[in-house]
Amino acid sequence: MSGLRVLVTGAAGLVGAEVTARLANEGHTVLALVHTRSEIVRNDGRVVRTVPIERSGPGLVSCVAGDVTKPMLGLTTERHEDLATGLDRVVHAAATTDFGRRWETYESLNVDGTRNVVRLAAERAVPLVHVSTAYVCGERTGRVLEDELDVGQRFGTGYERSKFLAEQEVRAAAVPAAVVRPSMIVGTQESGVIRDFKNMYVVLKLFTQGRVRSVPGFYDALLDLVPVDYVAALICQVVNQFDEARGRTFHAVGAAPHTLLDVSNALAEYPMFEVPHYVSPSAFDAGALPPDERVYYRRIIAMYESFFRRRARFDDTNAARLAPWRPAATGVDYLRTLLDHCVRVGYLGRAEAGIGDVLRLAGRPR
Ligand SMILES: NC(=O)c1ccc[n+]([C@@H]2O[C@H](COP(=O)([O-])OP(=O)(O)OC[C@H]3O[C@@H](n4cnc5c(N)ncnc54)[C@H](OP(=O)(O)O)[C@@H]3O)[C@@H](O)[C@H]2O)c1
């Protein structure tokens, strides 16, 4: 299908940029809602060409600066009207994905921001594709189905709780909607290329540099890593086949989850990497860590701690039906592809001076 008029929020972000570029390449008219960064850079570093909104048209991208936390996305009434008129789809990808933010930030951006975008879509019954996270399942163990949401789960982070509440906003609204839930987004299937080294990549840096040597967790805990190219392709498929996707949720997940043992084995193949060991959470004592390690643990690792003991397996029946080309990349081979890329571009295998450098490299506030 081509020729839709699509609003993409979070269009300059990791996911939004890739979705924006792909939709435009497919011949859609893309209205890209940007926030503080106006340049749209694809995962491989290519800058997406944009045209002023007055010249928007099929195959072209036009940027609109807005703020989803504000009513009418922070736009003037006139601009809001222009934007909403004739829309065929809204893809909502704006969010904060940082861990360790204050709850007010998650609430205002991820929950209230979603409510504002839902309102825009609902006013004109525009089909909404909402980008959530597989980790709205919180700390659930075992098989997680795509149509499940509230099963009384406990949340490991404020981020996932806010995304859970955002999904509830979408479900409660009188708007035709589909939800895509990526797990942890990492590099492309073929080459491992990733634009932003955030979240688990920061953890990997601390592990491989030996800054953090022991972590509370289980070797058989499961990490679900999904290639960024697959996530973007699945979102575009949902946009294109909305009639089929409507009312459904899609887990955008890896071909199979990796155990922490898989990850440790892959790290051990690189002579320059240190490999952390996992300690039973009941026996772990952060206070007993050496002073430097304790700082890294408390500042960074503690935010991700629940991921080192989770054992969720995401069922992706809906996604497999809609996108039969789901990720082939699997097992330790894919981990090697991801790590090789990190080494090739100098993200891993290089020592930084201290915690400030690690946070800066990962684009995180100090
Ligand atoms: N990355 C992952 O591993 C992952 C995994 C599962 C689900 N997801 C979901 O995928 C979606 C996209 O994530 P991502 O990784 O692409 O995140 P990202 O790279 O951080 O992009 C988020 C985008 O949202 C924009 N934004 C922030 N505050 C805004 C505001 N007030 N108004 C309008 N836009 C605002 C940001 O713009 P500025 O930078 O200019 O502020 C940025 O372009 C999110 O819904 C996230 O929850 C991501």
Side-chain angles (χ1 to χ4, degrees):
M1 178 185 285
S2 66
L4 299 174
R5 189 172 159 89
V6 189
L7 170 67
V8 179
T9 72
L14 177 66
V15 172
E18 226 11 68
V19 169
T20 294
R22 284 165 187 249
L23 290 175
N25 287 344
E26 289 171 5
H28 300 304
T29 301
V30 185
L31 306 176
L33 193 87
V34 293
H35 184 224
T36 57
R37 279 180 298 170
S38 56
E39 194 172 57
I40 301 177
V41 181
R42 293 192 68 168
N43 185 58
D44 64 6
R46 278 179 291 164
V47 176
V48 174
R49 200 173 72 84
T50 58
V51 297
I53 191 150
E54 298 72 29
R55 289 190 11 226
S56 67
L60 300 175
V61 177
S62 302
C63 287
V64 179
D67 183 343
V68 296
T69 65
K70 305 234 165 83
M72 295 202 308
L73 314 188
L75 305 170
T76 60
T77 313
E78 197 185 359
R79 176 62 94 197
H80 186 263
E81 194 61 22
D82 282 355
L83 194 71
T85 303
L87 270 186
D88 298 301
R89 304 279 188 276
V90 175
V91 177
H92 178 41
T96 177
T97 57
D98 285 346
F99 289 9
R101 296 272 182 187
R102 291 180 320 144
W103 173 249
E104 292 72 32
T105 305
Y106 292 125
E107 189 172 42
S108 130
L109 182 45
N110 295 359
V111 186
D112 300 346
T114 298
R115 190 178 308 126
N116 290 332
V117 172
V118 163
R119 192 168 294 147
L120 177 141
E123 274 166 7
R124 288 157 201 261
V126 182
L128 170 69
V129 180
H130 172 67
V131 185
S132 182
T133 168
Y135 289 99
V136 291
C137 71
E139 298 193 348
R140 284 182 62 186
T141 289
R143 193 151 163 261
V144 179
L145 302 178
E146 289 161 305
D147 61 7
E148 292 175 322
L149 180 58
D150 187 356
V151 297
Q153 64 269 48
R154 196 178 61 190
F155 298 104
T157 65
Y159 165 70
E160 59 202 41
R161 179 163 168 249
S162 67
K163 296 294 288 187
F164 164 86
L165 294 173
E167 263 200 50
Q168 285 193 320
E169 292 286 339
V170 173
R171 284 191 176 205
V175 64
V179 174
V180 179
R181 289 183 188 154
S183 52
M184 283 174 214
I185 301 177
V186 291
T188 57
Q189 302 178 65
E190 283 291 311
S191 57
V193 169
I194 188 76
R195 193 192 80 174
D196 301 337
F197 294 105
K198 54 186 182 179
N199 294 337
M200 275 300 157
Y201 281 98
V202 181
V203 172
L204 262 185
K205 191 166 193 68
L206 295 181
F207 283 178
T208 55
Q209 288 186 343
R211 310 252 181 203
V212 174
R213 292 169 184 274
S214 56
V215 186
F218 303 110
Y219 281 95
D220 64 350
L222 296 173
L223 284 184
D224 199 293
L225 307 177
V226 63
V228 59
D229 46 337
Y230 170 68
V231 173
L234 180 62
I235 293 171
C236 293
Q237 186 84 340
V238 172
V239 168
N240 289 324
Q241 295 190 205
F242 190 81
D243 287 346
E244 210 179 308
R246 180 184 175 141
R248 294 185 201 278
T249 297
F250 300 87
H251 276 155
V253 295
H258 297 276
T259 63
L260 292 183
L261 183 60
D262 293 336
V263 177
S264 294
N265 285 341
L267 293 179
E269 291 176 6
Y270 295 73
M272 67 286 215
F273 288 174
E274 299 289 338
V275 183
H277 61 270
Y278 295 94
V279 178
S280 167
S282 58
F284 183 80
D285 175 9
L289 294 173
D292 282 1
E293 188 171 340
R294 201 181 316 142
V295 172
Y296 285 110
Y297 174 78
R298 292 205 164 128
R299 286 288 310 272
I300 302 179
I301 301 298
M303 295 191 288
Y304 299 91
E305 207 185 274
S306 65
F307 286 94
F308 306 126
R309 41 170 208 262
R310 295 184 190 206
R311 296 187 182 101
R313 288 182 183 274
F314 301 105
D315 178 88
D316 68 344
T317 304
N318 288 345
R321 203 169 286 144
L322 195 76
W325 27 260
R326 61 213 252 257
T330 184
V332 175
D333 282 349
Y334 180 49
L335 293 175
R336 288 191 192 110
T337 303
L338 296 173
L339 292 170
D340 285 349
H341 172 71
C342 291
V343 171
R344 205 164 38 240
V345 299
Y347 178 73
L348 294 182
R350 196 177 49 169
E352 273 74 36
I355 193 160
D357 295 302
V358 176
L359 291 169
R360 184 181 45 73
L361 263 172
R364 298 179 60 83
R366 292 197 63 172

